[in-house]
């Protein structure tokens, strides 16, 4: 797409694989370890089952959104509409379930389908109509957000009790929210072994070269957004389970937070490199930073400034080290 | 890139270049929207109404100056912090002015310096720490939001100086408020600087090819940093004028201007990749977006439908000429 990626075209799969491992890098895990350590120091109850459950419960949606964003970014795109896809999927699922435990399965399908449909719109507009992903998803974010308000004009509605209660339980000694994060990891591990995701890396690295090597670029781009949309649908179910009611404005910060998580996870915004495991770690780092500042008793008026500075420092650190990895 | 555009045969070259010129297309769309408005709701296209819509456009248009410069500078340049910076500018301005003309100079200069400082930090981070612009300015968004909360303690104080309010809200020459003339002067000035001066040429050179620019002896780093400083300054200027419009300040006064400023630049035909485009297009883009908003408001559309239509129309506009080339080219 731009200059400077042309030499990557020639890189074999082996080299690409090494890069992928290298980039899901020391910094991301170092930051995660540091933030967990600090959190454990300022919050003595951090490792209790209750605390782990409630901490994980808050960031399950962001974890799924981060995986979705990671796939889009690796494919060389960017999805600013993820937040409103989460909001739309959540209100649709809420309406479909109508507070009844029996309909939870249908609710999941509705959320997945809604997310995938939104993704399809994004995919068609970027791949077939050929508009820049940044602008397209900015515009579709406004469309999806409007539809969300039509479906649910103001916050309210009740989530099936089994969903909210089940979310707080533990299964085999491990809290359900932790299982959810493990499911996100598993989804990524399965996806990353598919031909589809190899194609996503190829398209993100150099679309021209991928096209020349008979990768179905248009189909891959569409499917990338559809996958991301479906994952955003799962994030929506996480939101519902965590909050217990519907909120049409829920996704406001999700899009930008998921992008921050992706960068913290060592995924280059230029595409073609990185892995969603890093993005999951990035999402957890973001959530824990907020947690730490809360327990440090930072005054509310300064909390946002502090979190902004910490995040910018972390972003600088992960970006700087990623660059070094490339030079080597 | 040129090969792809010239291959589409059909119309004669001159005509096609005019018809495909984004500034022309955007202007036609703006006029079409006004005509539609006049048909649907008579009075929408009246002189006073048009002036009033142009006045609203000026805030977005002035914020979009910086966005245009940053996007032109290339290297995936984008400034996601402009909305928040504009808000901060208005908040600081309101606090310093405190509703009197005596403090006007300080109330304008101090916020502009704050904007320049934020732009400088953005630029330094992007150039020397090599943080991608998208990420750097996104992080800055959070920091500026934090500064706003820490500075105001959660409640904004102060008022716009009467002169500023008058500049924006009182009809002056030809029934138009002073702010429109400020904007027109800025449009001419920015276009001249971009097209006719060395910093402007440097900006285009840096935007189209950094390596070539560096090899030709252009100081790439200071050009890029300068672009972000300009963006911070323009954002604050837009925020201050918006303050004149609202008189008192809210904590999220101009937050919603970030993405429309990018949309205005794109509608105006400036390439997101950098190096191609100009400010006139962005100004027309800002007008298109503002007219669209007023039209939807006039139609008494509920906010939810308005955002849907807004997004769809933006997509249609983009599909008209924002398309990228085919892979097979």
């Amino acid at each position: 797409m731009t200059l400077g990626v042309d030499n990557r075209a020639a890189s074999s799969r082996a080299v690409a694989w090494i890069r992928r491992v290298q980039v899901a890098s020391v910094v991301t895990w170092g930051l995660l370890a540091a933030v967990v350590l600090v959190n454990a120091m300022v919050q003595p109850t951090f490792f209790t089952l209750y605390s782990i459950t409630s901490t994980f419960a808050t960031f399950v949606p962001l974890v799924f959104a981060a995986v979705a964003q990671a796939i889009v970014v690796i494919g060389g795109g960017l999805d600013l509409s993820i937040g409103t896809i989460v909001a739309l999927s959540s209100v649709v699922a809420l309406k479909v379930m109508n507070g009844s435990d029996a309909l939870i399965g249908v609710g999941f399908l509705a959320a997945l389908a809604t997310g995938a449909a939104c993704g399809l719109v994004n995919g068609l507009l970027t791949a077939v109509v050929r508009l820049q992903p940044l602008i397209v998803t900015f515009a579709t974010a406004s469309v999806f957000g409007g539809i969300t308000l039509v479906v649910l004009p103001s916050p309210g509605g009740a989530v099936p009790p089994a969903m909210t209660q089940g979310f707080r339980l533990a299964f085999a000694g491990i809290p359900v929210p932790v299982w959810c994060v493990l499911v996100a990891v598993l989804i990524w591990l399965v996806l990353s072994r598919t031909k589809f995701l190899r194609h996503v890396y190829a398209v993100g690295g150099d679309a021209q070269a991928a096209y020349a090597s008979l990768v179905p670029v248009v189909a891959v781009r569409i499917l990338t957004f559809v996958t991301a949309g479906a994952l955003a649908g799962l994030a929506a179910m996480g939101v519902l389970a965590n909050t217990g009611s519907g909120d049409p404005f829920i996704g406001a910060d999700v899009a930008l937070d998921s992008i921050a998580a992706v960068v913290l996870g060592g995924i280059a915004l230029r595409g073609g490199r990185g892995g969603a495991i890093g993005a999951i770690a990035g999402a957890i780092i973001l959530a824990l930073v907020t947690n730490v500042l809360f327990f440090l008793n930072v005054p509310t008026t300064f909390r946002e400034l502090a979190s902004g500075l910490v995040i910018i420092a972390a972003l600088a650190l992960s970006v700087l080290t990623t660059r070094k990895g490339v030079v080597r | 890139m040129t090969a792809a555009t010239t291959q589409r045969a059909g119309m004669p070259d001159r005509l096609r270049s005019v018809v495909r010129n984004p500034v022309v297309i955007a202007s036609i769309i703006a006029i079409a929207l006004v005509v539609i408005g006049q048909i649907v709701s008579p009075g929408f296209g009246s002189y006073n109404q048009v002036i009033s819509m142009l006045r609203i456009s000026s805030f977005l248009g002035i914020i979009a100056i910086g966005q245009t410069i940053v996007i032109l500078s290339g290297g995936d340049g984008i400034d996601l912090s402009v909305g928040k910076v504009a808000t901060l500018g208005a908040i600081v301005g309101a606090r310093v002015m405190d509703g009197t003309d005596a403090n006007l100079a300080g109330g304008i200069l101090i916020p502009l310096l704050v904007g320049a400082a934020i732009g400088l930090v953005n630029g330094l981070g992007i150039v020397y720490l090599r943080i991608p612009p998208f990420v750097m300015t996104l992080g800055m968004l959070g920091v500026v939001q934090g500064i706003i909360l820490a500075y105001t303690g959660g409640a904004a104080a102060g008022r716009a100086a009467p002169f500023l309010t008058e500049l924006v809200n009182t009809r002056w020459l030809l029934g138009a408020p002073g702010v429109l003339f400020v904007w027109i002067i800025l449009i001419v000035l920015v276009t001249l600087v971009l097209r006719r001066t060395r910093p402007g040429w440097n900006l285009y050179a840096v935007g189209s090819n950094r390596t070539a620019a560096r090899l030709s002896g252009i100081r790439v780093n200071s050009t890029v940093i300068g672009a972000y400083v300009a963006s911070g300054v323009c954002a604050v200027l837009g925020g201050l004028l918006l303050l004149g419009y609202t008189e008192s300040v809210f904590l999220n006064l101009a937050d919603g201007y970030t993405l429309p400023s990018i949309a205005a630049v794109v509608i105006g035909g400036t390439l997101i990749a950098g190096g191609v485009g100009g400010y006139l297009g962005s100004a027309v883009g800002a007008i298109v977006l503002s007219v669209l908003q007023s039209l939807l408001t006039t139609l008494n559309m509920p906010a939810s439908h308005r955002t849907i239509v807004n997004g769809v129309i933006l997509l249609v506009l983009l599909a008209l000429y924002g398309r990228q080339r085919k892979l097979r080219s």
Side-chain angles (χ1 to χ4, degrees), chain A residues 116-143:
Chain A
C118 294
L120 183 64
V121 172
N122 284 336
L124 288 175
L125 286 168
T126 42
V128 179
V129 187
R130 294 197 307 274
L131 302 174
Q132 291 111 335
L134 179 78
I135 313 294
V136 163
T137 54
F138 159 55
T140 55
S142 156
V143 175

Side-chain angles (χ1 to χ4, degrees), chain B residues 97 117 152 177 227 260:
Chain B
M97 287 175 202
T152 59

Side-chain angles (χ1 to χ4, degrees), chain B residues 30-255:
Chain B
I31 294 167
L33 284 173
V34 173
V35 171
I36 294 171
Q38 172 68 22
I39 294 168
V40 180
S41 149
F44 186 83
S46 71
Y47 182 74
N48 280 344
Q49 188 63 28
V50 169
I51 291 290
S52 153
M53 284 190 287
L54 287 176
R55 180 179 65 151
I56 305 290
S57 318
S58 67
F59 313 127
L60 176 58
I62 288 169
I63 293 176
I65 295 176
Q67 195 68 265
T68 309
I69 293 175
V70 161
I71 290 178
L72 279 176
S73 78
D76 294 329
I78 199 159
D79 191 342
L80 294 181
S81 64
V82 286
K84 277 272 186 260
V85 173
T87 305
L88 178 64
I91 286 173
V92 175
R95 181 82 69 94
V96 177
M97 287 175 202
D98 207 18
T100 62
D101 277 341
N103 304 329
L104 184 68
I108 290 176
L109 279 179
I110 294 171
L112 285 179
L113 284 177
V114 171
I118 293 171
L120 182 66
V121 175
N122 274 335
L124 290 174
I126 287 160
V127 167
Y128 291 108
L129 297 180
R130 298 217 258 144
I131 303 174
F134 192 92
V135 177
M136 180 67 208
T137 55
L138 179 64
M140 187 52 86
L141 180 87
V143 172
V144 174
Q145 170 66 15
I147 292 175
I148 288 174
L149 276 181
Y151 178 70
T152 59
R159 279 186 82 75
F163 174 81
L164 195 61
T165 312
E166 208 166 301
L167 181 74
V168 180
N169 290 344
T170 311
R171 295 179 186 282
W172 180 55
L173 204 64
L174 303 170
V179 64
L180 268 192
F181 297 94
V182 172
W183 191 25
I184 291 170
I185 292 169
L186 280 174
I187 292 175
V188 174
L189 211 64
V190 171
T191 307
L192 279 180
V193 168
L194 286 179
R195 300 286 183 197
R196 292 278 180 272
T197 67
R198 192 170 292 273
W201 295 334
N202 286 352
L203 188 71
Y204 281 100
V206 168
S208 21
N209 189 334
R210 293 225 165 143
T211 316
R214 187 170 285 121
L215 292 176
S216 339
I218 294 172
R219 290 193 300 183
V220 174
N221 287 353
S222 37
T223 305
V224 174
I225 293 173
Y228 285 89
V229 171
S231 179
V233 170
C234 293
V236 166
L237 195 59
L240 285 174
L241 292 170
L242 196 58
L243 168 68
Y245 178 66
T246 57
E247 295 187 45
S248 56
V249 68
F250 328 111
L251 287 186
N252 58 355
L253 183 70
D255 290 5

Side-chain angles (χ1 to χ4, degrees), chain A residues 154-183:
Chain A
S154 58
V159 174
M163 213 171 135
T164 40
Q165 285 157 11
F167 200 52
R168 303 281 159 178
L169 292 179
F171 180 68
I174 298 175
V176 171
V178 179
W179 279 113
C180 291
V181 173
L182 292 177
V183 166

